Amino acid sequence: MKLSKQDNLIRISFKYDQRLIELVRSLPNRQYQPKEKCWTIPVQGANGSLAKLVKAGFKIMPDLEEALRREKELNKEIDDLKDDFETSLPLMPYQKAGARFLDKIGSGLLGDSMGLGKTVQVLAVLEKNNSDKVLIFCPAVLKHQWRQEFGKFGLNWPITVIEGNAGQRQELWQKDARVYIANYELLLRDFHFIDVRVWDYIVADEASKVSNPHAKQSKLVKKLRGKKKLALTGSPISNRANELWNVLDFIAGGSMGSYFGFVERYCLKNRWGGIVDYINLEELQSKLKRYMIRRTKEQVLPDLPEKI
């Protein structure tokens, strides 16, 4: 009977015991892994579940103890978030705080309102980490705008914008660039060209494009191998909890458990299965603090320059 770490999950291992099975089934966001014949729960927000398991006789393995210690330290640093982020880019104080948050957590969701400079915050993180292979997904109309933003802020990196017919796109994917910019639709057409390397960063701009967990491109973006992943959205998707799950599963796979477990915990359905309201939102907001930062114009008004 032991508890160990497996990526963003806690692996619950024990010999068959109906009493223990019932206990695990009572835990929020639990998921059975049939291939490994074990249960898992997300590390984030697991304190209550861990207390129940330890009381039942489970032993916490050293790797999980270390992960929980680091998680506790990281959560404290997030709570004490400041704007002390060194960069050559001209960031406002709230933008420095946002860049520091993304840099500290590694993979995360930037949900600032439109017009608050999400792009420059991401560029600052890429610059600080001296990222060598970056993949950016965005709507087709924004591809060249993203390239212009790199030059605007003095990042004259080799950049390839993926476009054209299949043959032209194949040549572009094979170029030795530092940044590749593509629209989401190319996930379906060019996945075999994209999935040839481990990317330093994968950035999903307008991340609502991959918020539907049942859509093929939403599934494919999660299969790509990225050391770190960033998602950007100006829409308050935290107000639509069911659309939030896939974006979080993209940036930190398994961190919110299974989709069905997530919906069961945070969504209220009518008798036909349609989602009509959301529940346990304080608990969800607490979990989101670990992965998401969102500011509105009203919140950062003192940092904004005067209107001209």
Side-chain angles (χ1 to χ4, degrees):
M1 296 170 57
K2 61 182 183 179
L3 306 171
S4 55
K5 184 177 180 297
Q6 180 179 319
D7 298 323
N8 295 310
L9 302 171
I10 295 173
R11 179 187 172 112
I12 307 170
S13 306
F14 58 94
K15 293 181 180 179
Y16 180 83
D17 184 322
Q18 189 60 38
R19 178 183 61 86
L20 295 177
I21 291 175
E22 293 302 320
L23 170 62
V24 174
R25 282 178 174 166
S26 72
L27 305 177
N29 295 316
R30 80 286 179 193
Q31 188 171 8
Y32 184 65
Q33 309 292 343
K35 289 184 179 179
E36 302 177 25
K37 295 183 178 179
C38 71
W39 293 81
T40 57
I41 56 174
V43 172
Q44 179 66 13
N47 289 343
S49 297
L50 281 175
K52 290 182 181 179
L53 293 168
V54 170
K55 187 177 180 180
F58 283 86
K59 182 179 180 182
I60 299 178
M61 295 291 101
D63 60 340
L64 178 58
E65 278 188 345
E66 176 61 18
L68 293 171
R69 183 190 66 78
R70 290 199 305 267
E71 193 74 17
K72 185 176 180 181
E73 289 179 355
L74 182 58
N75 284 330
K76 186 177 185 305
E77 290 179 7
I78 291 172
D79 287 337
D80 298 336
L81 194 65
K82 298 182 178 67
D83 60 5
D84 53 343
F85 182 84
E86 293 185 9
T87 176
S88 65
L89 276 63
L91 299 187
M92 299 177 192
Y94 76 88
Q95 291 173 328
K96 285 186 177 182
R100 182 179 184 274
F101 174 86
L102 295 177
D103 180 55
K104 176 63 67 175
I105 63 175
S107 295
L109 171 59
L110 179 58
D112 287 350
S113 296
M114 289 180 62
L116 294 188
K118 293 186 289 295
T119 301
V120 70
Q121 294 175 64
V122 170
L123 295 184
V125 173
L126 298 180
E127 179 205 38
K128 183 175 185 297
N129 288 275
N130 196 27
S131 308
D132 184 48
K133 290 298 178 186
V134 178
L135 174 60
I136 298 172
F137 285 110
C138 63
V141 296
L142 298 179
K143 290 193 293 187
H144 288 279
Q145 183 176 324
W146 262 96
R147 179 168 66 178
Q148 292 168 5
E149 290 292 297
F150 276 87
K152 175 182 175 181
F153 292 105
L155 301 181
N156 297 311
W157 297 358
I159 298 173
T160 295
V161 177
I162 308 298
E163 53 195 354
N165 60 37
Q168 292 169 330
R169 296 198 308 272
Q170 180 178 356
E171 289 184 13
L172 291 171
W173 282 119
Q174 292 172 345
K175 288 184 68 173
D176 185 23
R178 190 169 179 179
V179 179
Y180 299 75
I181 305 173
N183 50 298
Y184 286 103
E185 291 77 10
L186 297 183
L187 275 164
L188 305 176
R189 304 170 195 165
D190 296 354
F191 185 81
H192 52 297
F193 297 133
I194 306 171
D195 192 36
V196 295
R197 61 169 59 91
V198 178
W199 301 89
D200 288 340
Y201 272 94
I202 300 177
V203 180
D205 188 17
E206 299 293 341
S208 57
K209 295 283 186 181
V210 289
S211 63
N212 181 355
H214 309 298
K216 192 170 182 180
Q217 70 181 26
S218 298
K219 295 177 181 178
L220 287 176
V221 77
K222 293 192 294 184
K223 290 184 177 181
L224 294 174
R225 295 166 295 162
K227 296 176 184 176
K228 298 177 181 178
K229 300 175 181 179
L230 303 176
L232 288 68
T233 178
S235 305
I237 58 175
S238 57
N239 295 341
R240 304 190 298 278
N242 54 308
E243 295 184 12
L244 184 60
W245 179 84
N246 202 66
V247 177
L248 291 169
D249 205 49
F250 158 67
I251 59 177
S255 60
M256 293 290 157
S258 70
Y259 174 71
F260 296 105
F262 185 88
V263 169
E264 179 184 282
R265 184 69 181 167
Y266 301 114
C267 300
L268 192 64
K269 296 182 179 181
N270 59 25
R271 58 181 175 176
W272 297 283
I275 296 173
V276 295
D277 206 350
Y278 303 102
I279 54 177
N280 299 318
L281 289 183
E282 286 189 11
E283 176 187 296
L284 178 58
Q285 290 291 344
S286 177
K287 288 186 176 183
L288 286 180
K289 283 173 60 179
R290 166 63 174 79
Y291 300 104
M292 176 180 176
I293 185 170
R294 173 173 168 78
R295 283 78 55 89
T296 64
K297 288 182 179 178
E298 291 74 20
Q299 290 172 322
V300 303
L301 198 58
D303 291 344
L304 295 176
E306 293 184 11
K307 281 187 177 181
I308 298 175

